[in-house]
Every structure is written in C-alpha cells, then in structure tokens.
C-alpha cells in the first residue's frame, strides 16, 4: 500500500477488527523500505507497540529467542520513533512534536492510535472540530501522511453490521 502526502487515513472499525494491526503492518512495511515513522500509540505501553511492529517486520513468531533479534531491534530503533506517553495527549503538543520530528529527522509518516485517547473534551464538538482542524492543517502544510485510528461507539447489542460513519462521533 502507498499513501499520498498531505493526506490523512482514518482506520475505523469495532474493537478487534484489526485497525492497530493494519497500521503496525504498514509501519513494518515502511521500515523494510528504510523509511522512518513516528507512532503515537496510547492504547498500550510503547514497548508492546514496538514489539508488535518488530514481529511484523521479521515474521519470526519467537523473535526474542532468535539470533536475528539484536540486529532487527537495532534497525527498528533507527526507523520507528515513539511518542512515549500513556496519558491523554494534548493535540497541540502532539502536532508540535510531529512538526519537530518532520523537520529534524525527515519523518513523513505519522500514526495516532487512537484519536479517542487525545485530551479533547468528548462532549465539546467545537473542541473536537478544532483538534481535527489542527491535524488537517498539519498534513496540509507539510508533505506527510497521518494515520488515525478511531473507535466507534459501542453498539447497543451484538451486531454483525459494520459501524457507520455516524458512529465515529461517539468515540470523539
């Protein structure tokens, strides 16, 4: 897959549909091409995100016990930058960090997993719109691509229907 500069991709689906996995696969693919990515994953500790990317990159299910672990880890350390925070991220600070990473290190692919964990009042539609506008302006101004993972509102009952676009609002 290729993604155009100056655009965002929204990865959207119910829990366990593979949104984060798909994005991590993309990061591993970019890493195999020698490209550098910046990942802001608030879903789990950064170490877990990095280990999943590394497993995707190497395709060794028991990588920690494989002789390729050290070289693969060293390669990943040069190609994947983590925005290391488990608390809710302020969108302005996150974007400033992304701008710094782009200008200083030439990073052109960024990930936010997931948008619901950003420090935005979920009841304030204006604040949500302002945060998304800041992200839109970031990708408009810089030749970068931003992957955003979003979770929908939980369905009232077990359903086999895919979530609709209106459900994104429920996850802010």
């Amino acid at each position: 897959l290729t993604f155009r500069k100056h655009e965002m991709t929204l990865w959207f689906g119910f829990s366990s549909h593979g949104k984060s996995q798909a994005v991590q696969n993309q990061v591993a693919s970019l890493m195999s091409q020698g490209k550098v990515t910046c990942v802001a994953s608030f879903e789990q500790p950064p170490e877990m995100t990095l280990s999943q990317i590394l497993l995707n990159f190497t395709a060794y299910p028991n990588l920690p016990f494989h002789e390729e672990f050290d070289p693969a880890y060293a390669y990943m350390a040069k190609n994947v930058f983590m925005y290391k925070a488990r608390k809710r991220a302020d969108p302005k600070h996150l974007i400033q960090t992304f701008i710094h990473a782009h200008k200083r290190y030439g990073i052109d692919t960024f990930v936010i997993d997931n948008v619901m964990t950003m420090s935005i009042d979920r009841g304030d539609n204006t604040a949500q719109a302002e945060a998304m506008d800041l992200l839109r302006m970031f990708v408009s101004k810089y030749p970068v691509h931003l992957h955003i993972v979003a979770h929908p509102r939980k369905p009232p009952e077990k359903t086999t229907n895919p979530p609709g676009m209106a459900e994104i609002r429920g996850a802010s």
Side-chain angles (χ1 to χ4, degrees), residues 94-125:
L94 184 60
I95 291 167
Q96 287 302 317
T97 303
F98 285 175
I99 290 170
H100 174 79
H102 172 69
K103 287 182 173 181
R104 177 147 187 191
Y105 301 105
I107 298 173
D108 63 4
T109 303
F110 297 86
V111 174
I112 298 174
D113 187 3
N114 85 51
V115 72
M116 189 171 96
T117 55
M118 294 176 65
S119 183
I120 306 168
D121 181 356
R122 295 180 194 172
D124 185 348
N125 289 340

Side-chain angles (χ1 to χ4, degrees), residues 73-91:
Y73 183 83
Y75 185 77
M76 183 181 68
K78 295 185 300 187
N79 290 283
V80 179
F81 284 58
M82 290 295 296
Y83 180 90
K84 189 173 180 179
R86 287 297 309 262
K87 62 181 182 172
R88 291 185 177 274
D90 172 44

Side-chain angles (χ1 to χ4, degrees), residues 51 54-55 58 60-70 72-73:
S51 68
L54 193 58
L55 288 174
T58 62
Y60 295 132
N62 295 315
L63 181 62
F65 306 104
H66 197 280
E67 67 273 1
E68 292 293 320
F69 177 83
D70 288 335
Y73 183 83

Side-chain angles (χ1 to χ4, degrees), residues 26 31-32 34 36 45 50 61 86 103 134 136 144 146 172:
Q26 181 63 20
M31 193 168 72
S32 71
V36 184
L50 288 171
R86 287 297 309 262
K103 287 182 173 181
L134 288 171
R136 183 185 62 78
V144 300
L146 174 61
S172 301

